[in-house]
Amino acid sequence: MEKFKIKPETTLKMFEILGGMWIAGCVKAAAELNIADFLAEGPKTISQLAKVTYSNENQLYRIMRALSSVGIFTETGNKTFILNELGATMQSGVPGTVKDFILANLTEHFPGFMELTYSVQTGKVPFEYVHGMNLWEYYKKNPELGNNFGRGMTGLSNMELDGIIKNYNFSPYKTIVDVGGGNGIMMYTILNSAPESSGIIFDESYVTETTAGCIPENLKNRCSVAVGSFFEKVPEGADLYTMKWIIHDWNDDECIRILKVCYNAMPKGAKLLIIDAVIPDDSQNKPHIGKLLDIVMMACITGRERTLSEFREIIEKSGLTFNRLIDIGTEAKSIIECEKI
């Protein structure tokens, strides 16, 4: 059989795709050096940046030149750099920041991406192969990295919280449980939009110990925490249960187990919202962020991103009824509304 002929332009295209890894390395360096934070103070020459970051000026310039070539920061005359909208996403502690998620992906997660062949050939998780333990065990043993990962999830949450609130009315629900609610950012947003509702943030003890002390003053009379594992039990009797970026962390059998636990806790008529990326069933050969997030799942944990058909299958096997799919304006998340009939 004659081999496919390779055109120079397609070789260049593949070269550019590989360049994404090289740029990612530069992005990691910029995040570690807090470049966006320093540029938020105003334009800086490469000499000034090198001084405040304790860096070699020539080496730092090469990094900054590469980043500005793809639109991350802007270089002006005399090797001066300014912060732009894309670079601003790497600021520390700003709603919508991706800095912490960048550091998690390009530090402890990254070796797993280099072992995807292992996953394909064994069906096992590369992160566990590299680190000798699963992601959740790793973060319990490395709490500083775990806290950074939590901040990364919070930063990404800000990307879609506005869309969730604008596209779903939480006001009719008296009691809302956020399953795997982490630091509570979504619950606080929901309760601020639904002043007659109360909420429970449910998670493991090592998470809720911190969350309990962070509930905003204006919500302390309507918001509390509950401790446990969603594989065993969740708070009973609520009108609404929410799960954002939880189901995609687990394989089908694990998801069905989690959903059955929720089903058993729910009274008839209660609803459950799965907030995850939903890959269109008819998206062959088309880009979708869920297809890339799925590789993150493959590299790091047992989970996966799913199509609506795949979601409906695990929902039905858990005993719940699928109601509707709600678009919130970003491919990274949609709302799947389920109900206990």
Side-chain angles (χ1 to χ4, degrees), residues 53-249:
T53 60
Y54 304 97
S55 301
N56 177 283
E57 184 176 326
N58 291 329
Q59 302 296 76
L60 181 59
Y61 178 70
R62 293 163 72 181
I63 295 288
M64 294 299 293
R65 179 177 62 182
L67 289 170
S68 63
S69 76
V70 295
I72 305 172
F73 311 124
T74 300
E75 182 179 5
T76 60
N78 301 318
K79 296 184 178 179
T80 297
F81 292 88
I82 62 175
L83 191 64
N84 57 21
E85 289 186 353
L86 187 54
T89 63
M90 288 196 285
Q91 294 175 94
S92 303
V94 176
T97 179
V98 293
K99 177 184 176 182
D100 306 295
F101 190 66
I102 286 168
L103 292 174
N105 264 261
L106 297 178
T107 305
E108 63 269 20
H109 296 181
F110 186 76
F113 292 104
M114 298 299 100
E115 297 291 348
L116 291 175
T117 304
Y118 167 82
S119 179
V120 170
Q121 293 185 329
T122 67
K124 296 180 180 179
V125 180
F127 186 97
E128 297 178 16
Y129 174 66
V130 171
H131 293 288
M133 65 189 80
N134 69 38
L135 184 75
W136 316 118
E137 292 170 335
Y138 182 89
Y139 282 142
K140 286 180 181 179
K141 290 190 175 183
N142 299 275
E144 186 175 339
L145 292 176
N147 289 335
N148 176 75
F149 181 68
R151 290 193 300 271
M153 294 298 96
T154 299
L156 292 179
S157 290
N158 284 288
M159 176 175 64
E160 68 271 339
L161 286 177
D162 188 56
I164 292 171
I165 296 302
K166 285 182 178 178
N167 290 280
Y168 197 87
N169 181 15
F170 292 90
S171 297
Y173 304 102
K174 182 179 179 181
T175 305
I176 302 167
V177 175
D178 191 13
V179 179
N183 65 7
I185 184 69
M186 185 169 78
M187 180 59 77
Y188 308 148
T189 304
I190 290 172
L191 294 180
N192 281 326
S193 76
E196 301 302 317
S197 302
S198 62
I200 302 170
I201 302 163
F202 177 80
D203 217 313
E204 294 193 67
S205 59
Y206 77 97
V207 177
T208 57
E209 285 171 4
T210 301
T211 304
C214 297
I215 298 172
E217 284 295 328
N218 70 310
L219 296 177
K220 284 187 175 179
N221 64 329
R222 295 194 288 130
C223 187
S224 60
V225 300
V227 177
S229 167
F230 48 55
F231 282 109
E232 299 170 1
K233 191 175 182 180
V234 299
E236 298 180 350
D239 309 286
L240 179 69
Y241 292 76
T242 59
M243 308 176 80
K244 182 170 70 65
W245 262 15
I246 299 298
I247 290 299
H248 80 158
D249 284 344

